[in-house]
Amino acid sequence: MSDTYGQNIKLGIAFQNSGGTIHASSAYWIPHLSDSITLTKEVISESNARGVFDQGGLYEVGQSVGGDIQCEADLRTVGVLCQSVINDATTVTSGSMKRHTFLPRTSDFDEFFAGRPVSIIKRFNDGGSSHIYYDAVGQSLTFNYANGELLKISANYLGKGFSRNTNVGSTGIAGLQTLWDQTSITFSAVGFDEMEELSITINEPMAAHGALHGSQTPRHIKREGFRSVEVSGTMVFTNQTRFNDFINQTEHVLRAFTESRTEVQSGYKGYIDVNVRAFRFTEYPIVNQGPGLIKVAFQGMAAFDNVTSRSYDVTVRNNYALTF
């Protein structure tokens, strides 16, 4: 028996073409900081009075899988997570360079899944089996930009099935990391240099629905609420411009553009381009917390933009293909 360390776990995401079709052999293996992907069992007990004080018999009545994956955002990982949560990429290829554009879904993947189902594979180093969480649908994606740190990205999933298999072979893990000082922020194409921290969360709320279909796994993973985009962060208060945006409820295109230090093809650098459409501030508290700089911990959100017919979009330029 060998010890199992978190640093030795390999995590992969494989795209499925339909429910129940585990494609572990074609997984994208991604470096990650942590995960909470797990199997949940729903258990109920008998309620009949039986002449004793003790709880009645226990019965398993359902299961689901899900949880979070958090990563430092290299160009390859961002593309994989965006496709697993947002939508299949529209890709333009030029030489070895690929530009993947991710637009929000306007229809469900099929009658059983709101989004494309994926298999999430955790490969342990204990010589035992890999854990495969399949028929999972992405329901949130968060980009975190912070002063002095690597860009981070996290995704949350909800799914149906679990299996164990002999350890699935994994390929090398590589990518171009992105740092905070490679990111620029704009409001409606006007540069803004006073942002210290920024978080953008895309929510696609899902729910698992069971049915009388001869199985304890959910039958449908479908939407249970409206898509939303939530924004929060901290900026230095230098003038009244952004506060006036809050007072007047001015809408902007909020853009976070992150460019890689190295080229993905001669003359071209990679990038991660996140655009929040019809963004407005919902909280902009200007308070004095001491003798130092006044900083504003703001909140905001996006609405559907009638010009572009979406509330957000993400584009990633790298040199990695995204296939199913």
Side-chain angles (χ1 to χ4, degrees):
M1 178 178 179
S2 61
D3 294 324
T4 301
Y5 295 105
Q7 61 192 334
N8 287 332
I9 291 177
K10 292 184 178 179
L11 189 145
I13 293 178
F15 298 101
Q16 301 176 206
N17 290 320
S18 61
T21 56
I22 304 172
H23 289 173
S25 61
S26 60
Y28 290 87
W29 297 93
I30 59 176
H32 65 291
L33 293 170
S34 63
D35 83 88
S36 62
I37 305 295
T38 188
L39 168 67
T40 300
K41 295 282 189 178
E42 183 181 356
V43 178
I44 63 173
S45 64
E46 294 180 38
S47 299
N48 287 330
R50 299 180 299 120
V52 297
F53 291 144
D54 303 84
Q55 181 172 267
L58 302 177
Y59 300 88
E60 178 186 342
V61 295
Q63 73 169 38
S64 62
V65 299
D68 297 294
I69 298 172
Q70 184 180 37
C71 312
E72 290 174 336
D74 66 81
L75 293 175
R76 178 176 178 272
T77 296
V78 172
V80 172
L81 293 187
C82 283
Q83 181 154 286
S84 71
V85 175
I86 299 173
N87 200 352
D88 300 343
T90 299
T91 302
V92 176
T93 300
S94 176
S96 61
M97 181 176 64
K98 302 180 187 303
R99 188 177 76 246
H100 308 288
T101 300
F102 303 93
L103 302 180
R105 284 188 177 276
T106 56
S107 61
D108 285 353
F109 177 76
D110 64 15
E111 87 176 274
F112 302 107
F113 300 95
R116 177 179 289 278
V118 300
S119 300
I120 302 170
I121 304 101
K122 289 200 284 188
R123 186 183 189 277
F124 299 95
N125 74 323
D126 63 350
S129 56
S130 294
H131 292 184
I132 303 176
Y133 307 84
Y134 62 92
D135 289 354
V137 175
Q139 60 176 353
S140 74
L141 187 69
T142 300
F143 297 86
N144 280 308
Y145 310 81
N147 177 28
E149 297 183 13
L150 292 170
L151 171 60
K152 293 184 176 65
I153 185 171
S154 60
N156 180 270
Y157 300 88
L158 176 65
K160 298 182 181 183
F162 171 80
S163 70
R164 286 186 292 185
N165 203 341
T166 55
N167 257 335
V168 178
S170 60
T171 57
I173 298 175
L176 298 173
Q177 300 295 334
T178 50
L179 290 166
W180 63 279
D181 63 345
Q182 297 163 244
T183 299
S184 59
I185 306 297
T186 59
F187 287 90
S188 296
V190 177
F192 184 75
D193 295 332
E194 302 303 332
M195 194 78 72
E196 291 194 346
E197 296 177 346
L198 179 66
S199 176
I200 300 172
T201 298
I202 299 163
N203 293 305
E204 304 274 0
M206 303 288 171
H209 299 274
L212 302 178
H213 66 127
S215 173
Q216 293 184 354
T217 62
R219 182 163 173 80
H220 301 277
I221 306 291
K222 289 288 190 172
R223 299 182 181 276
E224 68 166 356
F226 291 109
R227 173 184 296 133
S228 65
V229 183
E230 299 173 353
V231 180
S232 62
T234 303
M235 62 176 67
V236 177
F237 179 68
T238 56
N239 57 48
Q240 303 286 330
T241 301
R242 301 279 80 89
F243 186 55
N244 288 337
D245 288 340
F246 168 66
I247 291 175
N248 299 322
Q249 286 295 284
T250 305
E251 290 189 347
H252 286 288
V253 177
L254 172 61
R255 184 187 188 195
F257 182 83
T258 306
E259 188 175 63
S260 67
R261 294 185 187 277
T262 56
E263 296 179 346
V264 295
Q265 183 173 293
S266 179
Y268 297 91
K269 293 184 177 181
Y271 60 72
I272 303 163
D273 189 6
V274 182
N275 289 273
V276 180
R277 308 288 175 176
F279 166 81
R280 63 173 64 190
F281 292 102
T282 57
E283 296 180 21
Y284 199 90
I286 306 172
V287 295
N288 182 8
Q289 295 182 323
L293 284 174
I294 295 177
K295 299 180 181 182
V296 179
F298 69 89
Q299 302 281 336
M301 60 191 306
F304 181 81
D305 176 39
N306 290 315
V307 176
T308 59
S309 297
R310 55 183 178 267
S311 56
Y312 73 91
D313 52 75
V314 180
T315 302
V316 179
R317 188 164 75 184
N318 59 24
N319 50 9
Y320 301 101
L322 289 171
T323 56
F324 314 128

